[in-house]
Amino acid sequence: MGHDGSWRRPRRGEGVTVRDPRASVPRSLGYLRPYRVPVAVILVCLVASAVLISIPPLLVRELIDVAVPEGNRGLLNLLVIGMIVLYVGSGLIGVLQNHLNTYVSQRIMYDIRNQLYEHLQGLSLRFFTTSHTGEVMSRLTDDVAAIQNIVTGSLVSIANNFVIVGITLVVIFALDWKLALLSVSLLPLFIYPTRLVGGIRRRLRRETQQAGGSLNTL
């Protein structure tokens, strides 16, 4: 909100005070509390999907090391059927997870929009005379959609990545802990260049925004 009571977005280059992310994350998670059961099912789907993804490589190992060398057609057919069942099961779990994600995200958007509407009803007439209608409508559409993407998109993706990495580490260490330890020790060689490039891109983007803000003030 501007100094004159209007509700507007800050221009590029203007000083913006950003809330502490450590306080924003718990606040965002608070929108998930009324939907504990669907969220719990989503987490179960994430774990089940990660487990099913980690099983096919084990079946392929048995196929190459046992079934094919020994000419065991029964085991070969069983392994092939098992891989098909796993992929079908993983797809069905993905459908359920996407359905629950959509349900929770739409309900969260509904709750946030109701909160914004109730808040707007309590504002003074001066606010509506000094604020642009487009800015208010943007808050009710774009910003709510952005919050919804963070709560049900980014958080689910982060949880999914953590679960997949955790289960994958358990599987590879159970197969051969020496080779797994060697593989994990090489990860910093791939992470550091990625973070370096990401830092350069953020710095260039920030400098571009500052340059754009300077041009707007001319």
Side-chain angles (χ1 to χ4, degrees):
M1 185 177 294
H3 297 291
D4 57 351
S6 62
W7 192 357
R8 68 181 183 84
R9 296 180 183 273
R11 295 179 179 178
R12 290 183 177 180
E14 292 182 351
V16 179
T17 302
V18 181
R19 291 184 176 181
D20 187 358
R22 292 174 296 181
S24 300
V25 172
R27 185 179 180 184
S28 301
L29 292 176
Y31 290 108
L32 297 175
R33 291 175 184 173
Y35 311 103
R36 295 184 182 89
V37 175
V39 171
V41 176
I42 291 174
L43 294 177
V44 172
C45 291
L46 291 178
V47 175
S49 179
V51 171
L52 294 180
I53 291 175
S54 63
I55 293 178
L58 302 179
L59 298 182
V60 173
R61 184 191 64 173
E62 292 297 319
L63 187 148
I64 296 175
D65 295 342
V66 179
V68 174
E70 296 181 359
N72 192 338
R73 294 185 177 179
L75 180 59
L76 178 62
N77 294 332
L78 185 62
L79 293 174
V80 172
I81 294 173
M83 285 188 286
I84 295 175
V85 171
L86 287 175
Y87 283 115
V88 172
S90 179
L92 295 176
I93 292 175
V95 172
L96 176 61
Q97 178 184 333
N98 291 331
H99 172 72
L100 293 176
N101 282 338
T102 303
Y103 169 77
V104 174
S105 64
Q106 294 301 319
R107 295 300 302 178
I108 289 176
M109 290 182 67
Y110 178 78
D111 295 339
I112 295 176
R113 284 172 177 168
N114 281 338
Q115 291 179 6
L116 285 175
Y117 180 78
E118 293 176 358
H119 179 70
L120 289 174
Q121 293 299 310
L123 295 176
S124 63
L125 182 61
R126 180 174 180 272
F127 167 79
F128 294 99
T129 57
T130 57
S131 300
H132 298 288
T133 304
E135 293 290 340
V136 178
M137 294 302 298
S138 177
R139 296 287 179 138
L140 293 174
T141 55
D142 298 340
D143 293 354
V144 173
I147 295 174
Q148 174 248 336
N149 290 331
I150 292 174
V151 174
T152 60
S154 300
L155 293 179
V156 171
S157 298
I158 292 173
N160 187 28
N161 292 332
F162 271 108
V163 171
I164 292 177
V165 170
I167 294 179
T168 302
L169 289 176
V170 171
V171 172
I172 62 176
F173 272 96
L175 293 176
D176 190 337
W177 68 271
K178 294 181 180 179
L179 185 59
L181 190 61
L182 177 61
S183 301
V184 172
S185 64
L186 297 177
L187 287 178
L189 299 178
F190 299 95
I191 296 176
Y192 177 74
T194 304
R195 293 180 61 88
L196 181 61
V197 173
I200 295 174
R201 287 182 177 177
R202 286 193 298 268
R203 186 168 62 253
L204 292 175
R205 188 182 301 113
R206 184 167 56 251
E207 292 176 354
T208 303
Q209 292 176 352
Q210 292 175 355
S214 300
L215 291 175
N216 290 333
T217 58
L218 296 177

